[in-house]
Amino acid sequence: NAGVTQTPKFRVLKTGQSMTLLCAQDMNHEYMYWYRQDPGMGLRLIHYSVGEGTTAKGEVPDGYNVSRLKKQNFLLGLESAAPSQTSVYFCASSLIGQGASGQPQHFGDGTRLSIL
Amino acid sequence: KNEVEQSPQNLTAQEGEFITINCSYSVGISALHWLQQHPGGGIVSLFMLSSGKKKHGRLIATINIQEKHSSLHITASHPRDSAVYICAVYSQGGSEKLVFGKGTKLTVNP
């Protein structure tokens, strides 16, 4: 049982290049999230999904796209990478979304992305 | 002002000391999450609570809903407790989204 797996773990891109980050979970969770973590700031939500085939914008969605074609996978795309997107990206999943249910979010190990 | 404020930002302790990390929030919440991020970067859920107190080993989390405040305590601290501790809240009203504090960096020296 791997939990939440992110690939790749590290990547360096040039400005203008595109790439896709993959998040996979094997816990049959409905909700999945993409965050970015920058120095001196808390984790910020980029996009999230409340189920297969659904996506929604978070706090900082500009420059990113997502897809949830399969329940277990949540893809984050950068169409034209910019230096401002240099960050550590975390994927998370939860059984259902609302905290009152007592269901925590489970996080992947992160993807360190540098845009030159 | 951030919706979730943590204090202190940095904390250095000697092995064996009792540690307290504080979290204050300005919105009504349905639940609060304490997370741990180790130097390697991975994030692990420690507690999720909406009232009272929870304990797991040497870790204790408390929450006071009326005062909009939570504390994370570590008893008999150890160098392996060195990490960033993050507080996050689910806003009331059925929000699916967590709002995160900036984290408290704890260093425990032997």
Side-chain angles (χ1 to χ4, degrees):
Chain A
N1 190 347
V4 179
T5 303
Q6 290 183 232
T7 52
K9 296 192 184 310
F10 304 95
R11 186 74 184 267
V12 178
L13 290 178
K14 294 182 180 178
T15 298
Q17 286 185 317
S18 64
M19 79 160 295
T20 300
L21 281 65
L22 172 63
C23 177
Q25 52 92 6
D26 60 3
M27 296 172 284
N28 202 34
H29 284 174
E30 289 293 334
Y31 285 64
M32 295 187 75
Y33 308 82
W34 275 108
Y35 298 98
R36 60 179 288 172
Q37 186 178 42
D38 300 294
M41 305 186 76
L43 285 151
R44 292 182 293 169
L45 183 64
I46 305 171
H47 286 280
Y48 66 103
S49 167
V50 302
E52 181 178 319
T54 75
T55 62
K57 293 181 180 180
E59 182 185 353
V60 288
D62 293 343
Y64 305 95
N65 56 74
V66 287
S67 63
R68 183 102 181 267
L69 298 179
K70 293 184 179 180
K71 186 177 183 178
Q72 63 268 34
N73 295 336
F74 195 29
L75 278 63
L76 177 71
L78 286 72
E79 289 187 347
S80 180
S84 61
Q85 294 177 303
T86 293
S87 188
V88 181
Y89 292 85
F90 286 94
C91 176
S93 70
S94 61
L95 187 60
I96 57 177
Q98 295 178 24
S101 68
Q103 298 295 327
Q105 290 191 16
H106 298 256
F107 287 79
D109 289 337
T111 295
R112 190 171 297 273
L113 184 61
S114 294
I115 316 294
L116 304 178
Chain B
K1 187 177 185 297
N2 292 332
E3 291 181 346
V4 180
E5 296 277 357
Q6 289 186 235
S7 63
Q9 289 185 354
N10 293 281
L11 181 57
T12 301
Q14 289 299 121
E15 185 173 355
E17 286 184 1
F18 182 83
I19 303 293
T20 295
I21 298 171
N22 296 299
C23 176
S24 296
Y25 50 90
S26 57
V27 297
I29 69 167
S30 59
L32 183 143
H33 218 338
W34 279 105
L35 302 151
Q36 180 190 55
Q37 185 172 24
H38 272 286
I43 298 173
V44 175
S45 174
L46 296 175
F47 296 103
M48 175 166 280
L49 63 167
S50 54
S51 65
K53 177 178 173 179
K54 287 191 176 180
K55 185 175 188 291
H56 181 69
R58 295 179 296 103
L59 300 177
I60 303 166
T62 64
I63 189 168
N64 185 318
I65 295 293
Q66 287 74 27
E67 294 186 4
K68 292 187 168 62
H69 182 269
S70 176
S71 293
L72 177 68
H73 304 286
I74 305 174
T75 61
S77 60
H78 190 275
R80 65 174 174 267
D81 297 325
S82 298
V84 175
Y85 292 84
I86 302 170
C87 172
V89 301
Y90 280 105
S91 297
Q92 267 180 345
S95 173
E96 303 94 357
K97 296 173 281 187
L98 280 171
V99 178
F100 293 82
K102 295 182 180 180
T104 294
K105 184 177 181 181
L106 172 65
T107 303
V108 182
N109 294 317

PDB file of all heavy atoms in Angstrom, chain B residues 4 8 11 16-18 21 34-35 46-48 63 65 69 72 75-76 78 82 87 90 94 108:
ATOM      1  N   VAL B   4      -4.631  31.834   9.455  1.00  0.00           N
ATOM      2  CA  VAL B   4      -4.026  30.899  10.410  1.00  0.00           C
ATOM      3  C   VAL B   4      -2.630  31.403  10.767  1.00  0.00           C
ATOM      4  O   VAL B   4      -1.789  31.566   9.886  1.00  0.00           O
ATOM      5  CB  VAL B   4      -3.929  29.478   9.816  1.00  0.00           C
ATOM      6  CG1 VAL B   4      -3.301  28.521  10.818  1.00  0.00           C
ATOM      7  CG2 VAL B   4      -5.303  28.982   9.381  1.00  0.00           C
ATOM      8  N   PRO B   8       5.805  29.841  18.041  1.00  0.00           N
ATOM      9  CA  PRO B   8       6.739  30.744  17.360  1.00  0.00           C
ATOM     10  C   PRO B   8       7.014  30.267  15.922  1.00  0.00           C
ATOM     11  O   PRO B   8       6.591  29.183  15.543  1.00  0.00           O
ATOM     12  CB  PRO B   8       7.998  30.624  18.220  1.00  0.00           C
ATOM     13  CG  PRO B   8       7.959  29.218  18.728  1.00  0.00           C
ATOM     14  CD  PRO B   8       6.489  28.898  18.942  1.00  0.00           C
ATOM     15  N   LEU B  11      11.826  27.490  16.817  1.00  0.00           N
ATOM     16  CA  LEU B  11      11.942  27.075  18.210  1.00  0.00           C
ATOM     17  C   LEU B  11      13.111  26.109  18.333  1.00  0.00           C
ATOM     18  O   LEU B  11      13.186  25.133  17.591  1.00  0.00           O
ATOM     19  CB  LEU B  11      10.645  26.401  18.642  1.00  0.00           C
ATOM     20  CG  LEU B  11      10.511  25.892  20.069  1.00  0.00           C
ATOM     21  CD1 LEU B  11      10.742  27.002  21.067  1.00  0.00           C
ATOM     22  CD2 LEU B  11       9.138  25.264  20.272  1.00  0.00           C
ATOM     23  N   GLY B  16      14.695  16.514  25.812  1.00  0.00           N
ATOM     24  CA  GLY B  16      14.008  16.301  27.077  1.00  0.00           C
ATOM     25  C   GLY B  16      13.048  17.410  27.453  1.00  0.00           C
ATOM     26  O   GLY B  16      12.204  17.218  28.338  1.00  0.00           O
ATOM     27  N   GLU B  17      13.164  18.556  26.818  1.00  0.00           N
ATOM     28  CA  GLU B  17      12.297  19.677  27.165  1.00  0.00           C
ATOM     29  C   GLU B  17      10.864  19.453  26.682  1.00  0.00           C
ATOM     30  O   GLU B  17      10.604  18.712  25.721  1.00  0.00           O
ATOM     31  CB  GLU B  17      12.830  20.981  26.560  1.00  0.00           C
ATOM     32  CG  GLU B  17      14.053  21.531  27.257  1.00  0.00           C
ATOM     33  CD  GLU B  17      14.481  22.879  26.690  1.00  0.00           C
ATOM     34  OE1 GLU B  17      13.810  23.384  25.768  1.00  0.00           O
ATOM     35  OE2 GLU B  17      15.485  23.420  27.181  1.00  0.00           O
ATOM     36  N   PHE B  18       9.936  20.127  27.346  1.00  0.00           N
ATOM     37  CA  PHE B  18       8.519  20.148  26.963  1.00  0.00           C
ATOM     38  C   PHE B  18       8.328  21.269  25.945  1.00  0.00           C
ATOM     39  O   PHE B  18       8.718  22.406  26.183  1.00  0.00           O
ATOM     40  CB  PHE B  18       7.668  20.376  28.210  1.00  0.00           C
ATOM     41  CG  PHE B  18       6.198  20.374  27.963  1.00  0.00           C
ATOM     42  CD1 PHE B  18       5.488  19.187  27.898  1.00  0.00           C
ATOM     43  CD2 PHE B  18       5.497  21.570  27.805  1.00  0.00           C
ATOM     44  CE1 PHE B  18       4.114  19.176  27.690  1.00  0.00           C
ATOM     45  CE2 PHE B  18       4.130  21.574  27.594  1.00  0.00           C
ATOM     46  CZ  PHE B  18       3.427  20.376  27.543  1.00  0.00           C
ATOM     47  N   ILE B  21       3.718  24.458  20.709  1.00  0.00           N
ATOM     48  CA  ILE B  21       3.560  25.235  19.476  1.00  0.00           C
ATOM     49  C   ILE B  21       2.107  25.681  19.412  1.00  0.00           C
ATOM     50  O   ILE B  21       1.188  24.895  19.657  1.00  0.00           O
ATOM     51  CB  ILE B  21       3.918  24.387  18.249  1.00  0.00           C
ATOM     52  CG1 ILE B  21       5.393  23.962  18.313  1.00  0.00           C
ATOM     53  CG2 ILE B  21       3.638  25.158  16.960  1.00  0.00           C
ATOM     54  CD1 ILE B  21       5.783  22.949  17.268  1.00  0.00           C
ATOM     55  N   TRP B  34      -3.060  19.101  12.474  1.00  0.00           N
ATOM     56  CA  TRP B  34      -1.634  19.308  12.739  1.00  0.00           C
ATOM     57  C   TRP B  34      -0.845  18.347  11.865  1.00  0.00           C
ATOM     58  O   TRP B  34      -1.111  17.138  11.820  1.00  0.00           O
ATOM     59  CB  TRP B  34      -1.304  19.059  14.204  1.00  0.00           C
ATOM     60  CG  TRP B  34      -1.620  20.202  15.115  1.00  0.00           C
ATOM     61  CD1 TRP B  34      -2.665  20.313  15.985  1.00  0.00           C
ATOM     62  CD2 TRP B  34      -0.868  21.416  15.257  1.00  0.00           C
ATOM     63  NE1 TRP B  34      -2.615  21.515  16.653  1.00  0.00           N
ATOM     64  CE2 TRP B  34      -1.518  22.206  16.230  1.00  0.00           C
ATOM     65  CE3 TRP B  34       0.302  21.919  14.659  1.00  0.00           C
ATOM     66  CZ2 TRP B  34      -1.046  23.466  16.616  1.00  0.00           C
ATOM     67  CZ3 TRP B  34       0.768  23.158  15.044  1.00  0.00           C
ATOM     68  CH2 TRP B  34       0.099  23.910  16.015  1.00  0.00           C
ATOM     69  N   LEU B  35       0.158  18.898  11.179  1.00  0.00           N
ATOM     70  CA  LEU B  35       0.977  18.137  10.245  1.00  0.00           C
ATOM     71  C   LEU B  35       2.443  18.302  10.618  1.00  0.00           C
ATOM     72  O   LEU B  35       2.843  19.309  11.217  1.00  0.00           O
ATOM     73  CB  LEU B  35       0.767  18.648   8.818  1.00  0.00           C
ATOM     74  CG  LEU B  35      -0.676  18.612   8.306  1.00  0.00           C
ATOM     75  CD1 LEU B  35      -0.902  19.705   7.283  1.00  0.00           C
ATOM     76  CD2 LEU B  35      -0.980  17.253   7.717  1.00  0.00           C
ATOM     77  N   LEU B  46      -0.520  14.414  11.759  1.00  0.00           N
ATOM     78  CA  LEU B  46      -0.366  14.011  13.162  1.00  0.00           C
ATOM     79  C   LEU B  46      -1.727  13.866  13.830  1.00  0.00           C
ATOM     80  O   LEU B  46      -2.008  12.855  14.472  1.00  0.00           O
ATOM     81  CB  LEU B  46       0.463  15.055  13.917  1.00  0.00           C
ATOM     82  CG  LEU B  46       1.910  15.254  13.475  1.00  0.00           C
ATOM     83  CD1 LEU B  46       2.530  16.412  14.247  1.00  0.00           C
ATOM     84  CD2 LEU B  46       2.709  13.987  13.663  1.00  0.00           C
ATOM     85  N   PHE B  47      -2.531  14.911  13.721  1.00  0.00           N
ATOM     86  CA  PHE B  47      -3.827  14.922  14.373  1.00  0.00           C
ATOM     87  C   PHE B  47      -4.826  15.672  13.508  1.00  0.00           C
ATOM     88  O   PHE B  47      -4.476  16.601  12.805  1.00  0.00           O
ATOM     89  CB  PHE B  47      -3.792  15.678  15.723  1.00  0.00           C
ATOM     90  CG  PHE B  47      -2.924  15.063  16.776  1.00  0.00           C
ATOM     91  CD1 PHE B  47      -1.689  15.611  17.064  1.00  0.00           C
ATOM     92  CD2 PHE B  47      -3.362  13.960  17.499  1.00  0.00           C
ATOM     93  CE1 PHE B  47      -0.874  15.063  18.042  1.00  0.00           C
ATOM     94  CE2 PHE B  47      -2.556  13.395  18.486  1.00  0.00           C
ATOM     95  CZ  PHE B  47      -1.318  13.950  18.753  1.00  0.00           C
ATOM     96  N   MET B  48      -6.092  15.258  13.635  1.00  0.00           N
ATOM     97  CA  MET B  48      -7.184  16.093  13.166  1.00  0.00           C
ATOM     98  C   MET B  48      -8.165  16.171  14.335  1.00  0.00           C
ATOM     99  O   MET B  48      -8.555  15.140  14.896  1.00  0.00           O
ATOM    100  CB  MET B  48      -7.860  15.523  11.934  1.00  0.00           C
ATOM    101  CG  MET B  48      -9.060  16.314  11.516  1.00  0.00           C
ATOM    102  SD  MET B  48      -9.611  15.905   9.862  1.00  0.00           S
ATOM    103  CE  MET B  48      -8.441  16.851   8.934  1.00  0.00           C
ATOM    104  N   ILE B  63      -7.516  21.867  21.477  1.00  0.00           N
ATOM    105  CA  ILE B  63      -8.174  22.938  20.743  1.00  0.00           C
ATOM    106  C   ILE B  63      -9.222  23.590  21.619  1.00  0.00           C
ATOM    107  O   ILE B  63      -9.925  22.901  22.374  1.00  0.00           O
ATOM    108  CB  ILE B  63      -8.782  22.414  19.415  1.00  0.00           C
ATOM    109  CG1 ILE B  63      -9.265  23.580  18.556  1.00  0.00           C
ATOM    110  CG2 ILE B  63      -9.893  21.407  19.656  1.00  0.00           C
ATOM    111  CD1 ILE B  63      -9.603  23.192  17.129  1.00  0.00           C
ATOM    112  N   ILE B  65     -12.278  25.931  20.805  1.00  0.00           N
ATOM    113  CA  ILE B  65     -13.056  26.486  19.699  1.00  0.00           C
ATOM    114  C   ILE B  65     -13.484  27.921  20.000  1.00  0.00           C
ATOM    115  O   ILE B  65     -13.456  28.791  19.121  1.00  0.00           O
ATOM    116  CB  ILE B  65     -14.279  25.607  19.412  1.00  0.00           C
ATOM    117  CG1 ILE B  65     -13.833  24.221  18.917  1.00  0.00           C
ATOM    118  CG2 ILE B  65     -15.207  26.252  18.396  1.00  0.00           C
ATOM    119  CD1 ILE B  65     -13.152  24.223  17.577  1.00  0.00           C
ATOM    120  N   HIS B  69      -8.161  28.722  19.085  1.00  0.00           N
ATOM    121  CA  HIS B  69      -6.759  28.472  19.387  1.00  0.00           C
ATOM    122  C   HIS B  69      -6.519  26.982  19.580  1.00  0.00           C
ATOM    123  O   HIS B  69      -7.348  26.264  20.154  1.00  0.00           O
ATOM    124  CB  HIS B  69      -6.370  29.233  20.660  1.00  0.00           C
ATOM    125  CG  HIS B  69      -4.939  29.076  21.041  1.00  0.00           C
ATOM    126  ND1 HIS B  69      -4.493  28.078  21.878  1.00  0.00           N
ATOM    127  CD2 HIS B  69      -3.835  29.782  20.685  1.00  0.00           C
ATOM    128  CE1 HIS B  69      -3.183  28.181  22.028  1.00  0.00           C
ATOM    129  NE2 HIS B  69      -2.762  29.202  21.309  1.00  0.00           N
ATOM    130  N   LEU B  72      -0.033  22.391  20.116  1.00  0.00           N
ATOM    131  CA  LEU B  72       0.596  21.081  19.954  1.00  0.00           C
ATOM    132  C   LEU B  72       1.723  20.999  20.979  1.00  0.00           C
ATOM    133  O   LEU B  72       2.587  21.885  21.025  1.00  0.00           O
ATOM    134  CB  LEU B  72       1.153  20.916  18.544  1.00  0.00           C
ATOM    135  CG  LEU B  72       1.897  19.598  18.270  1.00  0.00           C
ATOM    136  CD1 LEU B  72       0.941  18.422  18.296  1.00  0.00           C
ATOM    137  CD2 LEU B  72       2.619  19.662  16.923  1.00  0.00           C
ATOM    138  N   THR B  75       6.074  16.132  24.682  1.00  0.00           N
ATOM    139  CA  THR B  75       6.718  15.850  25.968  1.00  0.00           C
ATOM    140  C   THR B  75       8.025  15.100  25.723  1.00  0.00           C
ATOM    141  O   THR B  75       8.161  14.367  24.741  1.00  0.00           O
ATOM    142  CB  THR B  75       5.809  15.005  26.863  1.00  0.00           C
ATOM    143  OG1 THR B  75       5.556  13.749  26.211  1.00  0.00           O
ATOM    144  CG2 THR B  75       4.483  15.710  27.106  1.00  0.00           C
ATOM    145  N   ALA B  76       8.995  15.320  26.620  1.00  0.00           N
ATOM    146  CA  ALA B  76      10.302  14.635  26.548  1.00  0.00           C
ATOM    147  C   ALA B  76      10.858  14.697  25.120  1.00  0.00           C
ATOM    148  O   ALA B  76      11.095  13.661  24.484  1.00  0.00           O
ATOM    149  CB  ALA B  76      10.173  13.193  27.022  1.00  0.00           C
ATOM    150  N   HIS B  78      12.885  14.968  21.639  1.00  0.00           N
ATOM    151  CA  HIS B  78      14.034  14.190  21.161  1.00  0.00           C
ATOM    152  C   HIS B  78      14.498  14.804  19.843  1.00  0.00           C
ATOM    153  O   HIS B  78      13.680  15.365  19.106  1.00  0.00           O
ATOM    154  CB  HIS B  78      13.581  12.735  20.953  1.00  0.00           C
ATOM    155  CG  HIS B  78      14.707  11.794  20.699  1.00  0.00           C
ATOM    156  ND1 HIS B  78      15.228  11.599  19.437  1.00  0.00           N
ATOM    157  CD2 HIS B  78      15.409  10.991  21.533  1.00  0.00           C
ATOM    158  CE1 HIS B  78      16.212  10.718  19.501  1.00  0.00           C
ATOM    159  NE2 HIS B  78      16.334  10.333  20.758  1.00  0.00           N
ATOM    160  N   SER B  82      12.778  16.998  15.523  1.00  0.00           N
ATOM    161  CA  SER B  82      13.123  18.175  14.724  1.00  0.00           C
ATOM    162  C   SER B  82      12.415  18.100  13.373  1.00  0.00           C
ATOM    163  O   SER B  82      12.586  17.145  12.617  1.00  0.00           O
ATOM    164  CB  SER B  82      14.639  18.258  14.520  1.00  0.00           C
ATOM    165  OG  SER B  82      15.306  18.405  15.754  1.00  0.00           O
ATOM    166  N   CYS B  87       0.041  23.882  11.101  1.00  0.00           N
ATOM    167  CA  CYS B  87      -1.357  23.902  11.509  1.00  0.00           C
ATOM    168  C   CYS B  87      -2.201  24.269  10.287  1.00  0.00           C
ATOM    169  O   CYS B  87      -1.811  25.144   9.498  1.00  0.00           O
ATOM    170  CB  CYS B  87      -1.530  24.943  12.624  1.00  0.00           C
ATOM    171  SG  CYS B  87      -3.224  25.287  13.108  1.00  0.00           S
ATOM    172  N   TYR B  90      -9.972  23.530   8.354  1.00  0.00           N
ATOM    173  CA  TYR B  90     -11.098  23.465   7.428  1.00  0.00           C
ATOM    174  C   TYR B  90     -12.102  24.507   7.884  1.00  0.00           C
ATOM    175  O   TYR B  90     -12.574  24.476   9.023  1.00  0.00           O
ATOM    176  CB  TYR B  90     -11.772  22.096   7.478  1.00  0.00           C
ATOM    177  CG  TYR B  90     -11.099  21.007   6.697  1.00  0.00           C
ATOM    178  CD1 TYR B  90     -10.361  20.019   7.355  1.00  0.00           C
ATOM    179  CD2 TYR B  90     -11.207  20.924   5.322  1.00  0.00           C
ATOM    180  CE1 TYR B  90      -9.752  18.995   6.655  1.00  0.00           C
ATOM    181  CE2 TYR B  90     -10.600  19.902   4.605  1.00  0.00           C
ATOM    182  CZ  TYR B  90      -9.876  18.945   5.274  1.00  0.00           C
ATOM    183  OH  TYR B  90      -9.266  17.926   4.583  1.00  0.00           O
ATOM    184  N   GLY B  94     -18.794  23.546   5.273  1.00  0.00           N
ATOM    185  CA  GLY B  94     -18.597  22.438   4.352  1.00  0.00           C
ATOM    186  C   GLY B  94     -17.456  22.624   3.381  1.00  0.00           C
ATOM    187  O   GLY B  94     -17.440  22.028   2.313  1.00  0.00           O
ATOM    188  N   VAL B 108      15.546  20.265  17.932  1.00  0.00           N
ATOM    189  CA  VAL B 108      15.833  19.726  19.260  1.00  0.00           C
ATOM    190  C   VAL B 108      17.286  19.257  19.260  1.00  0.00           C
ATOM    191  O   VAL B 108      17.654  18.363  18.495  1.00  0.00           O
ATOM    192  CB  VAL B 108      14.891  18.566  19.608  1.00  0.00           C
ATOM    193  CG1 VAL B 108      15.193  18.055  21.019  1.00  0.00           C
ATOM    194  CG2 VAL B 108      13.437  19.002  19.494  1.00  0.00           C
TER     195      VAL B 108
END
